[in-house]
Amino acid sequence: MTDTPRPVVSVRDLSKAFASKTVVSNLSFDIFPGEALALVGENGAGKSTTKNMLCGLLTPTSGEILVEDNPVTKVIGAEHGISAVHQELSLFGSLTVSENISISNLPGHAARIDWPAAEKTARNQIEFLGIEIDPRALVETLGAGKQQIVEIAKALLHANKVLILDEPTTSLTAIEREKLFAIIDKLKAGGLAIVFISHFMEEIYRVCDSFVVLRDGQQVGQGRLADVNQRALEEMMVGRTMADARVDLAAPTQVPALDVRGLSSADFTGIDLTVNAGEILGIAGLMGAGRTEVAEAIFGLRPATGEVRIKGEFAPRNVKAMMARGLCYVTEDRRTNGLFLNRPVRENLSAASILKFVQRKLRGFGFQGEKAKAQDIVADMNIAIPHIENNVSDLSGGNQQKVMLGRWLATLPDILIFDEPTKGVDIGAKFDIHAAIADLARAGKAIIIVSSDLPELLHITHRMAVMRKGRIVGEFMRDDYDSVKIISLAASAKESTSNAA
Amino acid sequence: MLLKGLRDIASRQKWVAIAMATIVLGGILSVVSPVFLTLSNFQAILVQASVTSIMAIGMTFIILTAGIDISVGAILFVTSALFAQLMISTESYLLAFGVTIICATSLGALNGILVIRFAVSPLITTLATYSIYRGAAIHLTGAQNIPVPREMGFLGNGRILGVPVPILILIAVTILGIYVLNRTRLGVYARAIGNSERSAKETNLPVGRVTVAIYAFSGFVTGIAGLVLLARVGGLQSGIGIGIEFTVIAAVILGGTKLTGGSGTVIGSVIGAIFLVLIDNGLNLMNASPYIYDIVRGSVLLAAVAIDRYSAVRQRAALDAQRASLIAS
């Protein structure tokens, strides 16, 4: 490291905007052969966009990427020797290992594939990576770890300069993860540059040499990992907001509204939760930690074992019974699971409470009652629409989310579970939604918020539970909130290692 | 033990299941009828299955890409009509064959282009072209019955070295289909696209071109099937090809090709078509009412889909259990 090595890829003032919204701006960093660069940042910081520009899936809006000092407008993976292994693998389950590895570069003529050559290539690639996999096995019969190796073998066929790994360990066991790290070391020793994207700080320190920190699309730090400790790195990621003004929350009561004991399923284990009336409980964690699954299981949308009590009384976990007991769940995926996009706002608002508007003796729906209620909610929630008969698809994300919330408020719930309540909404709507949630708590409702947006949870919760790999691994009271501690707890690999062993 | 072994093979190689079912059904029929186990009866069955088998080979590729083509019966009819008409006006076999096959291939390709252009479900797209193609052909021929020259009958009823010509054509198309599926990029890409279109795009496969080529290939073999059918029937009739898409698609599904795409075999589809003819054969031997046939065919298809679904669920459960034990260890 005494003489300055030449970077294999350099990024200069790189920016990307979608429509008019800038997602990343002015990134400048170098990637060196034989080294691993960590790309770190919170959810939504711009890591994926950066990755996609580096591997050629996206074209930068401005700035340049230099491959061995030659500026390129758009990366062409095969030509420039850059390849990415995405978090969601791009494999074909019903094809064999060797077909998968060589699919984009099949040997022989188009009308006469040389299968023995393809199989030999696959065998060589797999052997080089030091893992035993039958090239003739169907990929869908392999475990997650081996599938990851196949994907890497496939990527390496034309990645002779840079290999980008995006969250490569999320579905791996502890042993598989160690094997992967050994492979990365080997590739580095062979002169390949690695770009490593991970939430797990331990992994970053294990694998990488240098780092770039992104926050809200800005590059807020870079350097060598040897020069910073984990806490400093995490503070760079989280930045701001640690002491942001929080909303004033009223003190919660001590009356338990919802009590969950020993809830378990394939996705989570032994979940215990209690929320008091007037209390807002946050559930923090990384994507894939099982938070949504827990919320859906409580509401009865997923099978699970364990007990749920509402106001001290046992409640069967099915949606009808839960709604009857005043519980509601506002989904994270409002477009596919929540709203009827091509139906009017009025119908969307009344959908969960429609029985209230049905009159007896077959006189049909009381449309007047339904309309009046819808108009009330629209005014209450400050939903910006010209008319309640407009389709929900015409609304902005924030207003759509308000419709979701309004629908459930029409059922007069006592307990509300919100999953990512402000995902994809603008700042103004976010403020309105937060205010509405705080008001609900003040009115004595019990509230659970599942969110990947940590500042949001710091902002509007009384208490926070942290989930990791299907378990609750810690709990914080509002006065002890420490975003760095919470993040490192959510992302720590330590306990999961002992679980897997 | 033997049963379990057979079941294992059948779950890995889906076409083995339909082959075993065909053998069992054949065994039953040979007990019921003394003429069943004769060479001439075998030949008759294969000849009867030839048209749907040939079409099923093309359909296999389409279903492999998770698509479907409802219009194959109409393409079959267009082919027959065009050939008959051309023979009358030009009396040139070469010209008539050439134009007919090119037209059938183009109609298939047009299906493919519409499917990728409009990104509407192939079901609706080809339902529309079904109506357009058949309507155009009826308009063209004025819904007349048009006879074809006697020599044409060779293609349908002739023999070479004692083997009926339709069987030879079926064998040739089967070999072609197996080759294309296993030894060409087109075949591998078709399976890959059907398995995961997202992965195919991320891997930079030419999804659009492959889709068009697959539908064109299906049109091509349907053109061949149309000529065989025309030769067997002896002339154009307005009922040609009506309802045949059901038999063709059923043969492919019975043969073990997954409707959701990604896995399937050519040989399975051919055996599936033969199986359906055997069922007709059996009903015929039992002197069943002609109205029963459709009920039985439909029920068989439903049963095949149910069995496939059941085994897929079990397979996934077994795989999950295996993974879970891996993670636990």
Side-chain angles (χ1 to χ4, degrees), chain A residues 86 88-95 99 103-104 106 108 110-113 115 140-143 147 154 173 500, chain B residues 179 182-185 188-189 191-193 195-196 198-200 202-203 205 262-263 319 322-323 326-329:
Chain A
H86 304 282
E88 202 176 336
L89 303 181
S90 43
L91 293 175
F92 305 102
S94 63
L95 268 55
E99 285 171 335
I103 189 137
S104 55
L106 290 164
R112 190 178 175 80
I113 298 169
W115 282 123
E140 66 195 2
T141 63
L142 303 178
Q147 289 191 355
K154 177 180 166 185
T173 64
Chain B
Y179 182 86
N182 296 298
R183 295 297 299 270
T184 70
R185 283 191 195 169
V188 182
Y189 289 173
R191 283 189 288 141
I193 291 167
N195 185 232
S196 164
R198 180 186 59 80
S199 294
E202 279 177 9
T203 316
L205 301 187
S263 89
L319 216 64
Q322 192 188 333
R323 286 213 187 117
L326 260 177
I327 290 169
S329 65

Side-chain angles (χ1 to χ4, degrees), chain A residues 330-351:
Chain A
V330 187
T331 176
E332 71 173 321
D333 193 353
R334 58 179 174 264
R335 295 183 68 84
T336 50
N337 292 341
L339 294 168
F340 307 104
L341 289 172
N342 296 320
R343 303 301 306 171
V345 168
R346 167 180 53 79
E347 288 179 17
N348 271 280
L349 285 172
S350 66

